[in-house]
């Protein structure tokens, strides 16, 4: 007559069997994951020919920070509480400086103004005037057609935008943004 195992012995034996099965399964999966593909439909990389690529110019983080700080300094000299955003050509934020006491709405407004200036390669004060002829421009996502931003260019092509928001007028915001752009040019 076979000897009966205690409940503790059965649990321990079952746990050991599960561990062995799990390790064996893991080893098989690991071996398959590291094995080279043998099918003819395996994915490979392809080098793009030079005519299929382009090189773009970007503002460095140091230049963007210098521009943002110059714009913020210009605003502070006039006791204005603003936020300054510098974005690349694609609207990606490079740096944002929120001045002491700047309103909560100024953060997003500065970024959207900066993107708008970079996207159209024009100060947003000029673009706000264009809005009168083409009101649907305001419907483009991520844009803000209010004065307060200027583009930064390299070889006449836009590479960044500097946006300022929070001063009592767009003209002041744009004046401070221009101070930032001028700092990049030095």
């Amino acid at each position: 007559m076979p000897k009966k195992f205690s409940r503790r012995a059965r649990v321990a034996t079952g746990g050991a069997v599960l561990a062995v099965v799990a390790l064996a399964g893991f080893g098989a999966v690991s071996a398959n994951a590291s094995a080279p593909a043998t099918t003819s439909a395996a994915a490979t990389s392809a080098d793009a020919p030079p005519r299929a690529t382009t090189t773009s110019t970007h503002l460095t983080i140091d230049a963007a920070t210098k521009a943002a700080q110059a714009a913020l300094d210009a605003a502070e000299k006039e006791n204005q509480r603003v936020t300054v955003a510098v974005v690349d050509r694609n609207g990606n934020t490079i740096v944002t400086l929120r001045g002491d006491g700047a309103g909560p709405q100024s953060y997003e407004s500065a970024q959207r103004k900066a993107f708008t200036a970079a996207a159209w390669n024009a100060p947003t004060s000029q673009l706000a005037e264009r809005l009168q002829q083409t009101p649907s421009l305001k419907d483009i996502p991520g844009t803000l057609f209010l004065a307060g931003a200027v583009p930064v260019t390299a070889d006449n092509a836009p590479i960044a935008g500097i946006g300022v928001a929070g001063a009592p007028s767009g003209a002041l915001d744009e004046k401070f943004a221009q101070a930032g752009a001028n700092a990049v040019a030095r």
Side-chain angles (χ1 to χ4, degrees):
M1 179 167 196
K3 186 175 182 183
K4 289 189 176 186
F5 288 110
S6 69
R7 180 180 164 111
R8 180 182 284 171
R10 286 188 307 229
V11 169
T13 303
V17 169
L18 284 175
V20 169
V21 170
L23 286 174
F26 177 74
V29 169
S30 295
N32 287 338
S34 62
T38 58
T39 64
S40 61
T44 61
S45 64
D47 286 334
R51 68 183 183 280
T53 63
T54 185
T55 302
S56 61
T57 303
H58 294 274
L59 208 54
T60 65
I61 185 69
D62 290 338
T65 301
K66 180 180 177 181
Q69 189 63 57
L72 189 60
D73 290 347
E76 287 176 349
K77 282 180 186 173
E78 296 191 27
N79 295 316
Q80 298 301 315
R81 297 177 177 136
V82 301
T83 297
V84 180
V86 180
V87 302
D88 68 12
R89 176 70 172 97
N90 300 318
N92 300 310
T93 302
I94 301 170
V95 65
T96 301
L97 297 178
R98 184 176 179 269
D100 294 336
Q105 76 287 355
S106 65
Y107 190 87
E108 182 180 350
S109 296
Q111 288 178 324
R112 290 176 57 196
K113 285 180 183 184
F115 170 67
T116 304
W120 273 271
N121 194 22
T124 53
S125 59
Q126 291 177 10
L127 297 170
E129 292 172 8
R130 289 186 202 172
L131 199 58
Q132 294 172 7
Q133 290 87 25
T134 315
S136 61
L137 283 177
K138 71 179 180 326
D139 297 331
I140 297 172
T143 59
L144 187 58
F145 290 89
L146 297 175
V150 297
V152 177
T153 61
D155 296 325
N156 295 321
I159 61 167
I162 301 171
V164 177
S169 74
L172 278 175
D173 285 340
E174 200 160 300
K175 174 183 172 183
F176 306 142
Q178 187 61 55
N182 292 345
V184 172
R186 288 186 223 138

